[in-house]
């Protein structure tokens, strides 16, 4: 695992990316979070840890995932489009890169139980999977609304032996599932590790999850070099819910200014419709789930319930690293509507024979706006597969 | 002198701090509750500033937060309600809440308003200690506000000492690792923890909170600290009251706790 220690865009000693980040947590969580802050780097860079992590990524997750030249898509948009096939990871999304890393960490910390939150259910499934693999107890909190719209993943978690607990407060989606998982951790501080599913939460979670997901851009670099003779594309595009797949896809390009980093947020019914999850368009600086970042909130500082067709992007914040990339202008943000994402999802299915997760379809939907030229290279991070979304897609067939 | 500091000088034992959510059960109940608390002999009133995502709170307080927000409660409204409260209520008043609404209101503006209406202290559970020390402490002090920190059974001795050094008023001793609303009472493991903290000879008095609900638990907690804090159980009392019974229910409940 190569890393960025000196980058302008990596976390500082106090857990900040520029003015975003930190650890805004009640005292009840302090000992656990401090334990992680002190130990996470030492643990994950131990040679045995690295060996075990990479062996599991290879033999269990199926890495490296392919970098696929999408011929017909490239033809349509008159450029060169490569798809990073995270959808081919075991369990169907990039989320497992992080859960493999964190379950190994939890074992090193001597924890016997795992709690997690989930939106689309992909992180819940990825967590339930590694818990089964390692023989640890698993509780997953999921918003009541998400339980309904992502039924196949609920069934998978149960089959994998996890207990799925509905979050019934607030908007009954990802934000509230995260609140419940944090409360669970407060109530069970000694034996339980909280596996956060994105680059959100108090320091060191955003940095730790980014490091586990960085394998994505580590592979893109050598794969692209092999295929084109140049390890740097002109654009890397990824969707952003909390931002973990984007963090992984951007990581090794953060300090390559020639590579344009593009984040696709969920525009919902449109940025000005009142039914959106486009955080950088609608939010301002605020604190949620333990870090300072960009947050959708009322004038009074109450968190706004977002909307997106995609459960995995239906979150009122973004990770602090992305807030910094946005604030510094290093990454460009697009708000993709529900409709545009569906169109892109159907387009990829018909042109390339790949049904993407609706989350990932948001990244694909940037292509028409990009106007990349015929000699440019575009890498799109296909964060997950669409099996879980068939019910939603079928409504529009 | 700050009313909290004065209180502990005059009354080192059996201090009863009652938490309630502003604007609950009805928007304009805030001052009614405050007056009833004073009348019934509560020593400190802790007013919760409602928030959409109160992660350290259990269901009872969460729901009261949601009801209060639905009623239209906000910091702006709260400060309006508290305007002139010092003509009627003289017990110390603490505002408790999460940092985001306070930051959006503007820290300096918030502290100024607190001083104007007569607030004595703040409990902001998700404000990091270092941030408080480096950025907030001078502003809080300028406006005469004490910042109260929480400690738990897992808080290290070094951290407790640091908290004792940089804060004044009292230390909020959370009885067990949990969100608010637990019902475990006072267990043997808690007693060990209380005794351990007592043996540290801290500058600041402690109040025990989480799981205190009646005369038995209040009396027991008061043996190990300067007093105790009641939250969720009081919210339940408010919840079960109507406009006409609210005042009497509060007075009756607080009297029953004090015994
Ligand atoms: C396939 C897929 N992509 C993207 C996301 C969004 O998460 P993140 O922004 O952390 O990558 C999710 C979340 O559930 C997902 O399942």
């Amino acid at each position: 695992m190569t890393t960025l220690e000196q980058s302008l865009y990596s976390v500082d000693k106090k857990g900040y990316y520029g003015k975003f980040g930190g650890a805004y947590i009640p005292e009840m969580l302090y000992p656990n979070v401090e334990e992680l802050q002190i130990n996470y780097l030492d643990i994950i860079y131990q040679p045995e840890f690295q060996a075990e992590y990479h062996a599991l990524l290879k033999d269990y997750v199926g890495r490296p995932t392919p970098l696929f030249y999408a011929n017909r898509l490239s033809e349509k948009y008159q450029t060169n489009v490569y798809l990073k096939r995270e959808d081919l990871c075991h369990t169907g999304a990039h989320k497992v890169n992080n859960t493999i890393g964190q379950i190994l960490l939890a074992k090193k910390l001597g924890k016997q139980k795992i709690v997690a939150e989930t939106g689309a259910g992909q992180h819940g499934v990825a967590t339930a999977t590694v818990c089964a693999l390692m023989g640890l107890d698993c509780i997953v909190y999921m918003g009541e609304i998400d339980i309904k719209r992502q039924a196949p993943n609920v069934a998978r978690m149960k089959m994998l032996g996890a207990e799925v607990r509905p979050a019934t407060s607030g908007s009954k989606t990802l934000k509230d599932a995260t609140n419940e998982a944090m409360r669970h951790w407060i109530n069970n501080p000694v034996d339980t590790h909280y596996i956060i599913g994105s680059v959100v939460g108090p320091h060191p979670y955003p940095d730790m999850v980014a490091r586990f997901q960085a394998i994505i851009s580590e592979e893109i670099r050598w794969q692209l070099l092999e295929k084109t003779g140049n390890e740097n594309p002109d654009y890397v595009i990824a969707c952003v819910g909390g931002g973990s797949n984007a963090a992984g896809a951007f990581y090794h390009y953060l300090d390559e200014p020639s590579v344009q980093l593009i984040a696709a947020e969920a525009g919902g019914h449109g940025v000005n419709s009142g039914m959106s999850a486009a955080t950088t368009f609608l939010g301002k600086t605020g604190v949620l789930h333990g870090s300072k970042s960009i947050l959708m909130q009322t004038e009074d500082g109450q968190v706004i319930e977002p909307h997106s067709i995609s459960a995995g992007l239906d979150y009122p914040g973004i990770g602090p690293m992305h807030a910094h990339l946005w604030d510094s202008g290093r990454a460009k943000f697009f708000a993709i509507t529900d409709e545009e994402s569906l169109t892109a999802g159907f387009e990829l299915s018909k042109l390339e024979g790949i049904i993407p997760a609706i989350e990932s379809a948001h990244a694909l939907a940037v292509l028409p706006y990009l106007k990349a030229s015929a000699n440019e290279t575009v890498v799109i991070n296909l964060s997950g597969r669409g099996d879980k979304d068939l019910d939603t897609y079928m409504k529009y067939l | 002198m700050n009313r909290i500091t004065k209180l502990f000088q005059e009354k080192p034992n059996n201090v009863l701090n009652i938490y309630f959510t502003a604007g609950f059960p009805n928007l304009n109940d805030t001052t009614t509750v405050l007056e009833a608390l004073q009348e019934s002999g509560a020593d400190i009133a802790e007013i919760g500033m409602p928030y959409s995502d109160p992660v350290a709170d259990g269901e009872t307080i969460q729901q009261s937060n949601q009801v209060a927000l639905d009623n239209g409660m906000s910091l702006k409204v709260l400060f309006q309600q508290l305007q002139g409260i010092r003509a009627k209520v003289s017990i110390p008043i603490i505002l408790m809440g999460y940092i985001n609404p306070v930051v959006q209101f503007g820290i300096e503006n918030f502290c100024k308003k607190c001083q104007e209406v007569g607030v004595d202290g703040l409990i902001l559970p998700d404000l990091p200690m270092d941030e408080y020390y480096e950025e907030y402490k001078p502003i809080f002090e300028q406006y005469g506000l004490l910042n109260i920190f929480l400690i738990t059974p897992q808080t290290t001795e070094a951290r407790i000492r640091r908290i004792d050094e940089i804060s004044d008023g009292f230390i909020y001793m959370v009885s067990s690792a949990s969100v608010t609303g637990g019902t475990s009472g006072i267990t043997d493991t808690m007693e060990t923890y209380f005794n351990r903290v007592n043996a540290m000879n801290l500058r600041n008095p402690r109040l025990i909170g989480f799981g205190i609900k009646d005369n038995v638990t209040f009396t027991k907690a008061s043996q190990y600290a300067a007093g105790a804090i009641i939250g969720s159980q009081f919210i339940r009392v408010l919840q079960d009251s109507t406009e006409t019974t609210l005042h009497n229910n509060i007075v009756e409940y607080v009297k029953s706790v004090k015994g």
Side-chain angles (χ1 to χ4, degrees):
Chain A
M1 198 186 309
T2 55
T3 57
L4 296 174
E5 297 304 340
Q6 303 302 327
S7 167
L8 277 176
Y9 304 103
S10 60
V11 80
D12 68 19
K13 283 206 172 62
K14 289 184 161 175
Y16 281 83
Y17 300 86
K19 49 183 192 266
F20 304 106
Y24 294 79
I25 44 166
E27 187 63 29
M28 293 78 103
L29 285 179
Y30 187 83
N32 274 330
V33 169
E34 186 191 33
E35 181 182 34
L36 285 173
Q37 286 173 353
I38 292 170
N39 296 311
Y40 81 112
L41 291 177
D42 286 346
I43 293 177
I44 67 185
Y45 293 106
Q46 278 166 7
E48 322 89 84
F49 185 99
Q50 284 292 308
E52 206 175 348
Y53 172 68
H54 283 284
L56 284 170
L57 287 185
K58 177 166 176 280
D59 298 330
Y60 189 69
V61 175
R63 302 203 74 92
T65 58
L67 185 71
F68 175 68
Y69 184 74
N71 217 335
R72 297 183 66 203
L73 200 63
S74 298
E75 210 166 276
K76 169 147 189 196
Y77 291 100
Q78 296 289 299
T79 186
N80 302 291
V81 180
Y82 288 86
L83 302 175
K84 180 57 174 164
R85 299 290 310 273
E86 293 302 298
D87 61 314
L88 294 177
C89 287
H90 176 45
T91 70
H94 68 290
K95 297 283 180 187
V96 72
N97 302 326
N98 169 43
T99 61
I100 291 273
Q102 284 204 50
I103 198 89
L104 294 175
L105 182 86
K107 282 182 63 180
K108 297 275 181 222
L109 293 172
K111 305 285 183 176
Q112 300 100 46
K113 295 180 178 169
I114 297 296
V115 66
E117 86 295 338
T118 197
Q122 285 305 123
H123 174 60
V125 167
T127 304
T129 297
V130 296
C131 286
L133 180 71
M134 297 294 173
L136 299 191
D137 285 353
C138 182
I139 293 172
V140 179
Y141 287 89
M142 187 170 188
E144 211 169 39
I145 290 180
D146 293 336
I147 286 181
K148 290 200 184 101
R149 61 179 164 177
Q150 308 279 220
N153 275 343
V154 177
R156 290 165 81 197
M157 285 185 269
K158 288 184 178 162
M159 187 159 175
L160 291 160
E163 183 189 340
V164 180
R165 294 191 182 169
T168 56
S169 58
S171 55
K172 303 177 177 56
T173 60
L174 180 54
K175 159 179 94 75
D176 311 283
T178 308
N179 289 339
E180 291 306 334
M182 286 191 158
R183 289 182 185 119
H184 183 95
W185 203 25
I186 287 175
N187 289 333
N188 300 275
V190 179
D191 61 357
T192 300
H193 174 67
Y194 177 20
I195 302 193
I196 293 186
S198 193
V199 285
V200 300
H203 174 66
Y205 277 102
D207 183 51
M208 180 167 75
V209 176
R211 284 170 194 264
F212 288 139
Q213 292 293 358
I215 186 73
I216 298 173
S217 48
E218 191 178 322
E219 289 174 6
I220 295 173
R221 279 176 83 168
W222 63 256
Q223 289 171 321
L224 206 57
L225 182 66
E226 238 174 55
K227 288 187 198 301
T228 68
N230 183 352
E231 62 182 6
N232 295 333
D234 296 286
Y235 307 91
V236 178
I237 309 176
C239 67
V240 172
S244 68
N245 87 88
F250 294 168
Y251 197 86
H252 290 282
Y253 293 118
L254 289 169
D255 291 322
E256 291 289 348
S258 70
V259 181
Q260 285 200 41
L261 307 178
I262 293 175
E265 291 186 308
H269 294 185
V271 166
N272 297 316
S273 65
M275 296 277 284
S276 179
T279 304
T280 61
F281 292 84
L282 297 167
K284 52 187 194 289
T285 302
V287 174
L288 180 68
H289 296 148
S291 63
K292 187 187 280 180
S293 186
I294 307 290
L295 178 62
M296 290 171 58
Q297 55 188 314
T298 65
E299 222 174 278
D300 297 326
Q302 307 297 339
V303 182
I304 287 176
E305 299 177 0
H307 164 83
S308 168
I309 192 170
S310 114
L313 305 183
D314 203 351
Y315 185 71
I318 50 173
M321 170 182 153
H322 293 293
H324 183 49
L325 295 178
W326 171 77
D327 187 53
S328 63
R330 176 66 188 94
K332 190 168 172 189
F333 284 69
F334 283 84
I336 299 297
T337 63
D338 291 351
E339 207 179 317
E340 289 169 323
S341 73
L342 287 166
T343 305
F346 282 109
E347 180 176 85
L348 187 74
S349 306
K350 295 203 173 107
L351 288 182
E352 301 289 349
I354 299 170
I355 300 174
I358 294 186
E359 289 80 9
S360 323
H362 284 71
L364 293 161
V366 172
L367 271 179
Y369 292 107
L370 197 62
K371 307 206 163 43
S373 65
N375 56 9
E376 288 185 313
T377 304
V378 183
V379 173
I380 298 177
N381 196 36
L382 201 68
S383 58
R385 68 179 83 131
D387 307 27
K388 69 184 177 59
D389 297 314
L390 286 183
D391 271 357
T392 309
Y393 280 133
M394 293 315 266
K395 284 191 202 133
Y396 299 89
L397 206 62
Chain B
M1 187 190 290
N2 184 288
R3 291 181 195 86
I4 300 170
T5 316
K6 189 150 172 274
L7 170 71
F8 284 99
Q9 278 180 7
E10 289 168 0
K11 185 177 179 186
N13 297 306
N14 297 312
V15 168
L16 176 60
N17 174 340
I18 301 261
Y19 166 94
F20 71 99
T21 305
F24 178 84
N26 295 299
L27 182 63
N28 292 319
D29 287 338
T30 313
T31 49
T32 316
V33 176
L34 273 173
E35 287 169 35
L37 283 177
Q38 158 139 326
E39 184 188 321
S40 56
D43 298 298
I44 301 176
E46 181 184 330
I47 308 177
M49 306 177 279
Y51 183 47
S52 54
D53 296 81
V55 285
D57 286 298
E59 232 172 276
T60 305
I61 292 181
Q62 274 174 52
Q63 274 165 11
S64 71
N65 275 238
Q66 197 51 56
V67 169
L69 290 175
D70 293 345
N71 287 343
M73 183 42 75
S74 67
L75 282 179
K76 233 180 272 165
V77 173
L78 177 59
F79 284 125
Q80 277 162 14
Q81 291 178 343
L82 293 180
Q83 207 61 249
I85 192 70
R86 282 308 181 192
K88 293 179 186 152
V89 175
S90 58
I91 58 173
I93 295 177
I94 293 172
L95 294 190
M96 181 276 169
Y98 295 82
I99 192 73
N100 195 54
V102 174
V103 170
Q104 299 311 320
F105 194 85
I107 293 296
E108 178 107 29
N109 194 22
F110 174 79
C111 293
K112 211 151 108 190
K113 284 279 177 198
C114 282
Q115 189 180 45
E116 245 172 63
V117 300
V119 170
D120 306 287
L122 303 172
I123 301 176
L124 302 166
D126 57 347
L127 172 63
M129 187 167 76
D130 293 341
E131 201 119 335
Y132 156 75
Y133 188 69
E134 285 160 26
E135 289 178 35
Y136 292 66
K137 192 167 184 274
I139 308 176
F140 289 3
E141 281 171 357
Q142 187 189 335
Y143 293 98
L145 298 166
L146 305 185
N147 189 56
I148 313 298
F149 282 97
L150 274 58
I151 62 170
T152 80
Q154 276 80 38
T155 307
T156 61
E157 177 166 341
R159 190 168 165 85
I160 295 174
R161 293 219 179 272
R162 173 93 180 125
I163 285 170
D164 189 44
E165 191 183 308
I166 65 172
S167 68
D168 287 294
F170 66 91
I171 291 174
Y172 190 141
M173 191 151 54
V174 174
S175 60
S176 65
S178 71
V179 296
T180 55
T183 50
S184 55
I186 306 267
T187 62
D188 292 351
T189 26
M190 287 180 201
E191 289 177 43
T192 316
Y193 151 61
F194 300 150
N195 286 331
R196 173 167 60 84
V197 175
N198 283 336
M200 287 177 68
N201 285 316
L202 300 175
R203 291 168 54 230
N204 285 295
R206 276 84 55 207
L207 294 183
I208 294 175
F210 288 34
I212 313 300
K213 57 177 194 287
D214 50 19
N215 178 259
V216 174
T217 43
F218 174 66
T219 310
K220 183 125 197 227
S222 295
Q223 292 169 12
Y224 297 95
I229 302 169
I230 297 181
S232 298
Q233 189 59 33
F234 186 69
I235 295 293
R236 285 180 203 113
V237 171
L238 299 182
Q239 213 160 18
D240 295 340
S241 300
T242 62
E243 222 167 298
T244 45
T245 61
L246 185 67
H247 181 90
N248 282 348
N249 284 359
I250 293 171
V251 174
E252 225 170 86
Y253 173 70
V254 173
K255 290 200 162 147
S256 79
V257 170
K258 294 183 58 144

